[in-house]
């Protein structure tokens, strides 16, 4: 099965920027109820989508204090417990982060390793790409960061 996920968070000064489980040096960070890790949120939605298990809003409601400032790696591990409970496993992940600054290239390998470790997957099966929005739209104006992910999931 294939799953797809998309997420956006607003950017503002004085907030931290966490992507793929890695805290980045950045002038702007995400405004969010959780840690605002758009990449992990898109991946989690893709995992849930592949198995028709709803979305992260259903599993981690932002009205609940339990998930305030939540570590998205812990949330991802919880989603993986749902995937395992369905008798399924992840084959591969492909993703794209859309962000004007900072450049993500130097951090991609660390992010891949962090995600692969949380999922229990070979790092070769975790792809992360980065692009800018060519100064266009809300990402281009540095008002937000977006991420897209697709995953393939198979029954054991
Ligand atoms: Mg989110």
């Amino acid at each position: 099965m294939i799953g797809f996920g998309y997420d956006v968070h607003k950017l503002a000064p004085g907030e931290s920027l966490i992507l793929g489980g890695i805290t980045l040096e950045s002038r702007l960070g995400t405004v969010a109820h959780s840690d605002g890790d758009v990449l992990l949120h898109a991946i989690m939605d893709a995992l849930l989508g592949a198995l028709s298990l709803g979305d992260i809003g259903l599993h981690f409601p932002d009205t609940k204090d339990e998930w305030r400032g939540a570590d998205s790696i812990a949330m991802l591990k919880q989603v993986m417990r749902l995937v395992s409970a369905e008798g399924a496993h992840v084959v591969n992940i492909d993703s794209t982060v859309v962000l004007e600054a900072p450049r993500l290239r130097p951090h991609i390998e660390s992010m891949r390793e962090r995600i692969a470790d949380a999922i229990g997957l070979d790092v070769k099966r975790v792809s992360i790409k980065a692009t800018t929005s060519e100064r266009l739209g809300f990402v281009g104006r540095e008002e937000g960061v977006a991420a897209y992910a697709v995953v393939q999931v198979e029954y054991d």
Side-chain angles (χ1 to χ4, degrees):
M1 290 80 64
I2 289 172
F4 169 75
Y6 170 69
D7 194 33
V8 168
H9 279 288
K10 190 176 173 181
L11 291 172
E15 304 281 348
S16 51
L17 180 65
I18 302 173
L19 288 172
I22 303 291
T23 304
L24 303 173
E25 285 284 324
S26 176
R27 186 174 58 82
L28 303 173
T30 51
V31 180
H33 184 78
S34 70
D35 66 4
D37 192 327
V38 283
L39 176 55
L40 293 191
H41 295 179
I43 289 172
M44 284 188 266
D45 258 357
L47 290 165
L48 292 168
L51 295 166
S52 302
L53 292 174
D55 57 36
I56 56 171
L58 177 73
H59 293 274
F60 309 99
D62 64 9
T63 49
K64 276 203 175 172
D65 273 356
E66 187 184 351
W67 303 112
R68 189 177 299 281
D71 169 10
S72 294
I73 286 281
M75 291 162 70
L76 176 59
K77 287 179 178 172
Q78 182 149 332
V79 167
M80 282 310 300
R81 285 194 281 277
L82 297 173
V83 171
S84 299
E86 290 286 310
H89 62 271
V90 179
V91 177
N92 75 304
I93 295 172
D94 186 23
S95 60
T96 299
V97 180
V98 195
L99 177 67
E100 218 60 40
R103 292 283 163 177
L104 297 184
R105 174 78 53 219
H107 310 289
I108 295 270
E109 289 313 306
S110 313
M111 293 180 195
R112 289 176 68 206
E113 282 165 21
R114 192 106 165 85
I115 293 165
D117 185 57
I119 290 183
L121 198 59
D122 191 310
V123 73
K124 280 185 71 79
R125 291 170 180 260
V126 179
S127 161
I128 302 171
K129 308 184 300 299
T131 189
T132 70
S133 191
E134 295 278 338
R135 295 265 154 211
L136 297 169
F138 72 86
V139 170
R141 291 188 297 269
E142 295 191 77
E143 293 168 2
V145 51
Y148 302 82
V150 288
V151 304
Q152 192 180 352
V153 173
E154 242 175 30
Y155 287 111
D156 302 335

